């Protein structure tokens, strides 16, 4: 993190005074007078108290940001627990020479992966022609990019002879992509820019002669058309990458909006068709299809394929021969279906498998003869199924009961498939599945030396929410925990975009439990733990269900003796800022601290911003609709902060380079909170000047971030 040092000394005096005297007035924040602006929507006036913070180019605003960040730096400089957490987390992560990450397998069976080099303090790219072959180092990024040797993206060609390598530009929206030729053992001359793999990465052409990617012509964060008018381009290896031949998205006849992302998906070297999508926020896209030969000839005739009305999940469709296999939502859950591509009847498909609301199908993959799919009961209990060549369905026996599963190495050209499994207390393990369903460990990953977590207990309880709906709540704690209400609870919540809070293995998070605390994961509405309906019940005008579910889960922990007021820290990130921020607004006394990374704290402001290039209005609502406007107003943590209120200790951690949530979103919230808070609790804004919304500045930065989060939570517990 790049920090402003000039103001640290003055802020440190404030902190020492606070520690010594515990007086109410020692939290002297950087001065900022309100600059109120009133806007009227459908007859309702909305007061924006700190409107001036929207001007990120104003030097006075920038100085205020720096002063806020320096205050946070001073706080952590004076936090005795921070160094302890840093040391423990470095030990727990146990990054060793040979650590493997970002494994990619080509259709031909070639393995590509990163291995950590301790001397270079960077990951190096390695290659195996197949799993049993000797590995070879093929690319050391520190030689070409010594200032930024962090590989953030890999995409091998179908034939395994080329691989696209991406590097985050840290402070910019886009990624820089180069192509390595394994046969020539060299980097090709082309360098791809104006691409962001989070929105649309490299899609190799079936014959591996080139690729298609989503091109962003407008990447200046300060301009109104930022991220808009993107389109897919086709690039053949050896061509000038600046020529950028549009292949999809610029055609006016398709009526693709400027804030959609017109991107392509390819599936295998055998695909006779290629599918294009008008991507946006939400579960379903409009799609188009073209003959592969026409695409390769640069003359595609895109025809409408399916629309949002078919309720087909955008990332869950595969071509196999003449069939299109996909997952769709139904009123009672979801299904895996199949249609003939040449005569696609989406209203009457062949139904291959069904999932319920409580136990929905969440992912599937297709091999030469089989279909494998996963069900997730309440988002945390995994079961695996296989559909054979005769469309018979059977369940496979897993090595243990996992909380999360992912597939790898699948292709319609063969029947090999891999399965990655992990859970709250079980480390990630990769398995290979043979054609008769036998499951065996793959063995690529080295086993790290991590603590034994057999003394930890995981359970899920059902909590009755405000309207009688049962909300799953996952809990992790030591088996020798004393039930005396004095336990310290770290709550992690999200609740948006239909994303389930799936189990994940993290020694850093489990350290909280090893130290005697409880981890709590409320699976609130807005997520996908009970299928699509669970998502819909936490969207737009129903968004209040998300934070009311969280409040109910927090009350459950107190009423059932897990903890008491003052011992529950709340953590969230990104869109979870709405869920967490509004729960704190309504019931501030429930939480000892509130911590939010790159959070959305002012959704109405973002949707009304002239520089907004997001389609998030599909999740939260739009100011152009009178009812959806009221929903936005109701869910806005910044606008709903109360005056003269005791709020918990608050740590907001935005990024200055966030391509989705501008810095003023968090800044307005923290400015108003500092002015309104009457409790003797800190309200800090710790700005990350190096990473973006999802881009990490590296291994050390990740350790530092979590050390700050957990030390802040621990420091502000009130026994």
């Amino acid at each position: 993190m790049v920090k402003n040092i000039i103001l640290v000394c003055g802020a440190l005096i404030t902190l020492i005074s606070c520690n010594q005297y515990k007086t109410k007035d020692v939290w002297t924040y950087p001065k900022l007078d309100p600059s109120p602006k009133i806007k009227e929507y459908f007859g309702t006036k909305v007061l924006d108290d700190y409107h001036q913070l929207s001007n990120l180019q104003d030097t006075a605003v920038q100085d205020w940001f720096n002063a806020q960040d320096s205050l946070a730096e001073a706080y952590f400089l004076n936090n005795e627990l921070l160094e302890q957490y840093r040391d423990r987390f470095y030990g727990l992560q146990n990054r060793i020479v040979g650590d493997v990450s970002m494994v990619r397998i080509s259709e031909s069976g070639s393995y590509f992966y990163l291995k950590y080099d301790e001397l270079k303090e960077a990951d190096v790219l390695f290659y195996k022609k197949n799993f049993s072959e000797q590995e070879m180092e093929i690319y050391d990024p520190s030689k070409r990019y010594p200032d930024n040797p962090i590989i953030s993206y890999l995409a091998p060609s179908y034939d395994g002879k080329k691989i696209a390598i991406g590097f985050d530009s840290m402070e910019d929206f886009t990624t820089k992509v180069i192509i390595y030729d394994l046969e020539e053992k060299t980097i090709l001359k082309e360098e791809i820019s104006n691409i962001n793999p989070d929105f649309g990465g490299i899609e190799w052409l079936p014959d591996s002669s080139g690729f298609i990617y989503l091109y962003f012509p407008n990447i200046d964060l300060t301009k109104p058309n930022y991220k808009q008018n993107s389109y897919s381009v086709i690039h053949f290896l050896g061509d000038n990458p600046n020529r950028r031949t549009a292949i999809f998205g610029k055609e006016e006849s398709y009526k693709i909006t400027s804030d959609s992302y017109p991107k392509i998906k390819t599936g295998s070297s055998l695909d006779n068709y290629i599918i294009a999508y008008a991507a946006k926020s939400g579960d379903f896209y409009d799609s188009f299809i073209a003959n592969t030969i026409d695409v390769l000839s640069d003359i595609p005739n895109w025809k409408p394929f399916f629309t949002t009305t078919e309720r087909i999940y955008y990332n869950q469709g595969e071509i196999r021969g003449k069939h299109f296999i996909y997952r769709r939502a139904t009123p009672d859950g979801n299904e895996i279906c199949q249609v003939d591509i040449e005569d696609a009847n989406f209203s009457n498909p062949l139904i291959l498998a069904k999932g319920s609301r409580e136990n929905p199908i969440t992912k599937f993959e297709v091999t030469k003869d089989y279909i494998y799919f996963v069900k997730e009961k309440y988002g945390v209990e995994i079961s695996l199924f296989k559909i054979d060549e005769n469309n018979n369905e059977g369940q496979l026996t897993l090595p243990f009961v996992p909380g999360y599963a992912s597939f790898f190495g699948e292709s319609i050209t063969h029947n090999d498939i891999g399965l990655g499994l992990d859970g709250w207390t079980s480390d990630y393990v990769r398995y290979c599945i043979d054609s008769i369903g036998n499951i065996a460990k793959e063995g690529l990953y080295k086993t790290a030396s991590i603590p034994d977590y057999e003394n930890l207990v995981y359970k899920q309880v059902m909590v009755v929410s405000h309207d009688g709906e049962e909300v799953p709540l996952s809990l992790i704690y030591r088996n020798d925990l004393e039930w005396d209400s004095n336990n310290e609870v770290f709550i992690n919540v999200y609740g948006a975009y239909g994303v389930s809070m799936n189990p994940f293995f993290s020694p850093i998070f489990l350290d909280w439990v090893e130290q005697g605390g409880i981890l709590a994961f409320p699976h609130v509405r807005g997520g996908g733990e009970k299928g699509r309906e669970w998502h819909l019940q936490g969207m737009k005008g129903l968004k209040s269900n998300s934070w009311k579910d969280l409040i109910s889960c927090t009350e459950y922990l107190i009423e059932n003796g897990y903890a008491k007021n003052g011992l529950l820290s709340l953590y969230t990130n990104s869109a979870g800022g709405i869920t967490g921020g509004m729960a704190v607004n309504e019931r501030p006394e429930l939480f000892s601290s509130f911590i939010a990374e790159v959070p959305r704290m002012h959704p109405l402001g973002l949707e009304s911003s002239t520089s907004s290039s997001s389609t998030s209005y599909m999740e939260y609502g739009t100011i152009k609709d009178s009812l959806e406007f009221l929903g936005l107003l109701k869910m806005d943590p910044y606008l709903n902060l109360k005056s003269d209120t005791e709020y918990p200790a608050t740590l907001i951690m935005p990024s200055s380079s966030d391509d989705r949530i501008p810095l003023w979103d968090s800044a307005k919230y923290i400015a108003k909170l500092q002015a309104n808070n009457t409790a003797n609790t800190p309200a800090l804004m710790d700005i990350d000047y190096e990473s973006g919304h999802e881009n990490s500045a590296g291994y050390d930065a990740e350790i530092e971030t979590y050390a700050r989060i957990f030390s802040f939570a621990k420091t502000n517990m009130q026994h």
Side-chain angles (χ1 to χ4, degrees):
M1 294 183 180
V2 178
K3 302 294 181 182
N4 186 306
I5 304 299
I6 299 174
L7 299 173
V8 167
C9 296
L12 183 57
I13 295 173
T14 299
L15 290 165
I16 293 173
S17 298
C18 179
N19 288 336
Q20 288 176 342
Y21 303 112
K22 299 289 183 182
T23 56
K24 191 172 180 179
D25 59 351
V26 294
W27 285 104
T28 304
Y29 297 108
K31 182 175 176 55
L32 182 69
D33 294 326
S35 176
K37 182 176 181 178
I38 296 176
K39 292 187 71 173
E40 187 171 326
Y41 305 88
F42 305 103
T44 298
K45 293 181 179 180
V46 178
L47 174 62
D48 181 0
D49 289 291
Y50 294 93
H51 177 74
Q52 75 270 40
L53 292 176
S54 300
N55 186 2
L56 299 178
Q57 279 67 53
D58 187 300
T59 55
V61 170
Q62 293 173 358
D63 289 343
W64 183 83
F65 285 148
N66 290 334
Q68 289 286 351
D69 186 61
S70 294
L71 179 60
E73 280 299 288
Y75 173 89
F76 285 110
L77 185 65
N78 196 50
N79 188 318
E80 296 179 357
L81 286 177
L82 180 62
E83 191 61 35
Q84 297 176 29
Y85 275 92
R86 278 196 198 113
D87 291 342
R88 282 214 307 276
F89 289 173
Y90 272 112
L92 287 170
Q93 289 293 80
N94 193 30
R95 192 162 203 197
I96 58 176
V97 176
D99 245 2
V100 170
S101 62
M102 207 181 294
V103 183
R104 302 289 184 265
I105 306 174
S106 73
E107 187 179 86
S108 62
S110 302
Y111 271 68
F112 300 85
Y113 50 89
L114 304 180
K115 285 180 69 174
Y116 181 64
D117 188 306
E118 189 174 37
L119 295 178
K120 298 183 177 73
E121 294 185 339
D123 289 308
V124 176
L125 180 58
F126 279 78
Y127 163 79
K128 287 185 175 187
K129 189 173 183 179
N130 57 62
F131 186 77
S132 60
E133 294 283 338
Q134 185 72 26
E135 69 177 13
M136 298 186 299
E137 177 184 322
I138 60 172
Y139 186 69
D140 178 1
S142 64
K143 294 179 180 178
R144 185 181 178 102
Y145 301 108
D147 296 331
N148 178 25
I150 301 174
I151 295 175
S152 60
Y153 177 73
L154 294 174
S157 60
Y158 290 116
D159 61 11
K161 297 178 181 179
K162 311 283 192 308
I163 183 166
I165 307 170
F167 299 85
D168 280 335
S169 53
M170 295 303 179
E171 295 185 3
D172 294 329
F173 166 69
T174 59
T175 294
K176 178 163 48 181
V177 175
I178 60 175
I179 310 298
Y180 184 83
D181 186 320
L182 277 85
E183 292 183 319
E184 300 297 328
K185 296 182 173 55
T186 186
I187 298 294
L188 300 184
K189 65 178 182 179
E190 45 255 83
E191 186 174 285
I192 306 301
S193 61
N194 295 61
I195 176 177
N196 186 315
D198 290 338
F199 291 81
I202 298 293
E203 294 288 332
W204 284 93
L205 297 172
D207 64 359
S208 297
S209 63
F211 46 82
I212 299 171
Y213 68 95
L214 184 64
Y215 171 70
F216 289 90
N218 308 307
I219 58 174
D220 187 340
L221 182 63
T222 66
K223 299 296 176 61
N225 60 356
Y226 174 59
K227 288 197 302 184
Q228 294 188 357
N229 301 305
S230 60
Y231 56 92
S232 286
V233 303
I234 189 167
H235 174 79
F236 293 98
L237 298 177
D239 285 355
N240 181 355
N242 295 320
R243 189 161 67 94
R244 298 193 180 97
T245 302
I247 199 75
F248 177 68
K250 297 191 80 173
E251 305 88 348
E252 293 183 3
S253 58
Y254 300 143
K255 297 181 181 179
I256 297 173
T257 59
S258 62
D259 55 2
S260 293
Y261 305 114
K263 59 185 182 180
I264 304 293
K265 179 182 177 182
T266 62
S268 79
S269 63
L270 300 181
D271 284 356
N272 292 319
Y273 304 90
I274 291 178
I275 297 178
Y277 300 89
K280 54 195 173 186
S281 295
D283 295 323
F284 314 128
Y285 299 163
D286 289 331
S287 79
F288 304 82
I289 193 167
N291 188 290
T292 298
I293 295 176
D294 292 340
V295 173
L296 292 175
S297 302
D298 196 15
I299 50 170
N301 179 23
W302 297 107
K303 298 178 180 179
F305 192 38
F306 57 82
T307 68
T308 56
T309 59
E310 267 82 41
R311 297 161 64 88
I312 295 172
Y313 287 96
Y314 69 90
N315 60 343
Q316 296 280 292
E318 299 292 338
I319 293 172
R320 183 169 68 181
K322 65 178 184 178
H323 296 131
F324 179 65
I325 303 167
Y326 59 94
R327 183 170 68 97
R328 72 172 181 180
T330 66
D332 298 319
N334 54 26
E335 299 169 336
I336 296 177
C337 303
Q338 178 179 292
V339 295
D340 289 339
I341 294 175
E342 292 291 347
D343 185 24
N345 185 354
F346 289 105
S347 62
N348 187 30
L350 174 64
I351 299 172
L352 302 175
K354 293 186 176 183
S356 65
R357 290 186 184 181
E358 292 75 19
N359 196 17
I361 297 169
T362 55
K363 57 176 68 75
F364 78 91
E365 291 296 347
V366 178
T367 66
K368 181 174 180 289
D369 299 306
Y370 309 126
I371 301 171
Y372 292 87
F373 67 92
V374 165
K375 289 185 177 181
E376 294 181 5
K377 186 175 182 180
Y378 298 141
V380 297
E381 186 178 320
I382 295 298
S383 50
L384 176 66
F385 298 83
K386 174 184 175 182
I387 301 172
D388 66 19
E389 60 268 38
N390 297 314
N391 293 335
N392 297 313
E393 177 186 320
Q395 184 171 357
L396 279 66
T397 301
L398 296 174
F400 62 95
V401 180
Y404 182 74
S406 58
F407 295 109
F408 63 87
E410 71 285 340
S411 171
I412 65 167
T413 63
H414 56 71
N415 280 323
D416 298 329
I417 191 170
L419 182 70
L421 302 176
D422 67 347
W424 295 121
T425 60
S426 304
D427 198 1
Y428 176 74
V429 183
R430 291 164 63 93
Y431 296 89
C432 294
I433 306 176
D434 65 21
S435 59
I436 59 174
N438 295 319
I439 301 176
K441 285 187 178 180
E442 179 198 48
L444 180 64
Y445 279 77
K446 290 187 177 182
T447 302
S449 176
I450 58 176
D452 185 352
Y453 294 117
E454 290 185 358
N455 65 328
L456 303 189
V457 175
Y458 156 70
K459 74 174 182 179
Q460 189 176 78
V461 298
M462 303 303 289
V463 177
V464 178
S465 191
H466 68 103
D467 57 355
E469 187 70 66
E470 287 191 326
V471 180
L473 172 62
S474 295
L475 301 170
I476 308 172
Y477 51 87
R478 289 171 60 104
N479 56 16
D480 58 354
L481 190 71
E482 295 184 13
W483 302 104
D484 58 4
S485 297
N486 287 313
N487 303 303
E488 298 176 344
V489 180
F490 188 86
I491 303 172
N492 186 354
V493 72
Y494 185 68
Y497 290 102
V499 176
S500 297
M501 180 68 75
N502 295 122
F504 59 92
F505 180 77
S506 170
I508 282 179
F509 275 74
L510 292 176
D511 175 74
W512 185 269
V513 182
E514 285 289 350
Q515 300 304 317
I518 298 173
L519 288 175
F521 300 89
H523 302 279
V524 303
R525 277 172 278 188
E529 285 84 351
K530 288 188 176 182
R532 185 166 188 269
E533 190 64 29
W534 200 243
H535 177 204
L536 294 176
Q537 290 181 31
M539 286 176 60
K540 295 185 176 180
L542 298 176
K543 187 62 187 172
S544 60
N545 285 327
S546 298
W547 67 80
K548 290 184 183 298
D549 288 352
L550 169 57
I551 289 171
S552 296
C553 288
T554 307
E555 290 175 331
Y556 174 92
L557 293 169
I558 296 170
E559 293 167 0
N560 288 272
Y562 290 89
K564 61 186 178 185
N565 289 72
L567 297 180
L568 299 104
S569 178
L570 176 61
Y571 164 76
T572 189
N573 70 301
S574 193
I578 296 174
T579 300
M582 286 306 302
V584 171
N585 281 357
E586 288 198 4
R587 297 292 303 278
E589 78 282 359
L590 288 178
F591 306 101
S592 56
S593 60
F594 173 45
I595 306 164
E597 275 191 279
V598 291
R600 178 156 291 184
M601 307 305 294
H602 185 22
L604 189 145
L606 189 60
E607 296 308 328
S608 63
S609 170
T610 57
S611 62
S612 176
S613 62
S614 171
T615 56
S616 59
Y617 61 85
M618 302 184 67
E619 179 75 12
Y620 308 114
T622 172
I623 60 168
K624 298 176 182 179
D625 181 279
S626 59
L627 291 178
E628 292 187 3
F629 155 72
L630 292 176
L632 278 167
L633 182 61
K634 184 179 179 181
M635 74 175 72
D636 194 299
Y638 163 62
L639 295 176
N640 286 285
L641 280 167
K642 304 168 189 173
S643 61
D644 300 322
T645 302
E646 292 190 350
Y647 284 99
T650 301
L651 175 63
I652 304 297
M653 308 176 78
S655 166
S656 64
S657 304
D658 196 324
D659 62 275
R660 302 177 199 181
I661 305 175
L663 191 54
W664 54 255
D665 185 290
S666 290
K668 290 184 181 182
Y669 176 84
I670 208 72
K672 190 173 181 179
L673 177 64
Q674 290 172 350
N676 290 9
N677 185 20
T678 58
N680 184 24
T681 53
L684 305 175
M685 184 168 68
D686 186 15
I687 303 172
D688 184 345
Y689 284 102
E690 293 187 359
S691 303
H693 190 76
E694 292 183 346
N695 302 327
S696 172
Y699 173 74
D700 291 341
E702 181 182 14
I703 294 290
E704 178 66 23
T705 296
Y706 283 118
R708 293 185 178 213
I709 288 168
F710 282 100
S711 65
F712 188 86
K714 181 74 172 179
T715 300
N716 288 286
M717 289 293 171
Q718 302 165 15
H719 285 273

